[in-house]
Amino acid sequence: DGTMSLADQAFFATGTTAGDIPVVEPAVYASGTSKSQKDDAKKFLSDIGVREIGEAEQMELILQRRYAREAEIPDDKTYLQDLKRFIAFVEEAGDGSVFSEFYIFQGSDGDWYTPESIYLDHPYLDTSLAAYYAALTGDTVPKALHARYLKCGIANKKLADFAKEAGAIVDLEIKMVDCGKNPE
């Protein structure tokens, strides 16, 4: 796109590289009169830190740029594209833990939350968690997943599977605790 970047923060372009990920202009390493010139140019870029980018690296960059605490929330079109990409990534990789620290879900109150701060209940899953969490108060009480996802074009089951894999709450965790300091 004509901007400058440090080598260790740039990547070689692929067909699926997101538009806001810094990639080296292919003409930089693809021009020249011989194959050895082209290979040497690409080797030089690799030696100073430019890397091939895979789907996992793209996910990490997208998450850091758009879904970190201090990031500006993307527009609806971008978010929906990202969400579909996130779901496809988890279906392929089988691991949603990469999303745990990022604000990828909108709660029923309209704010954005990390997966561990969101719970799923009807119509996404029948967990009855709404009955429990509705009785609690405070800032740390998890929020229900926003109803906007019902109209996003992603099947409820697919969305629920992704949210669960990313760390959303789908059941109550029972823990053993010590009652030694209980005054009763």
Side-chain angles (χ1 to χ4, degrees):
D1 64 0
T3 60
M4 303 296 279
S5 176
L6 296 173
D8 64 350
Q9 296 173 1
F11 299 91
F12 292 109
T14 66
T16 61
T17 307
D20 63 344
I21 293 175
V23 295
V24 175
E25 174 65 42
V28 170
Y29 57 89
S31 61
T33 56
S34 70
K35 181 172 175 10
S36 66
Q37 283 180 329
K38 295 174 187 178
D39 291 344
D40 288 346
K42 191 164 185 179
K43 183 182 180 324
F44 169 74
L45 291 171
S46 293
D47 289 347
I48 63 170
V50 177
R51 301 171 277 157
E52 297 287 340
I53 188 165
E55 190 66 11
E57 291 84 6
Q58 288 191 59
M59 284 299 116
E60 187 175 333
L61 288 169
I62 289 169
L63 289 166
Q64 289 172 352
R65 290 177 177 199
R66 299 185 193 150
Y67 302 99
R69 177 182 277 287
E70 57 281 339
E72 185 177 323
I73 302 296
D75 61 73
D76 283 347
K77 181 180 178 187
T78 302
Y79 175 64
L80 185 57
Q81 289 173 340
D82 288 346
L83 184 60
K84 288 177 180 177
R85 190 171 186 173
F86 296 163
I87 291 170
F89 176 76
V90 169
E91 287 175 345
E92 179 75 23
D95 180 21
S97 63
V98 68
F99 302 100
S100 65
E101 299 175 22
F102 298 98
Y103 293 76
I104 60 169
F105 289 120
Q106 191 172 20
S108 57
D109 62 355
D111 288 339
W112 290 83
Y113 296 94
T114 60
E116 68 181 14
S117 299
I118 291 290
Y119 70 85
L120 299 179
D121 199 356
H122 184 75
Y124 306 104
L125 289 175
D126 289 323
T127 63
S128 299
L129 289 173
Y132 175 74
Y133 287 119
L136 302 177
T137 59
D139 293 340
T140 61
V141 175
K143 304 294 184 227
L145 188 63
H146 197 283
R148 77 180 284 187
Y149 297 98
L150 295 173
K151 298 177 185 172
C152 71
I154 300 170
N156 284 356
K157 179 172 179 7
K158 200 173 200 175
L159 183 66
D161 289 346
F162 166 70
K164 182 178 178 181
E165 188 62 41
I169 302 165
V170 295
D171 54 19
L172 290 177
E173 184 179 348
I174 298 174
K175 295 181 184 179
M176 295 292 288
V177 295
D178 183 2
C179 63
K181 294 184 181 181
N182 186 340
E184 298 295 318

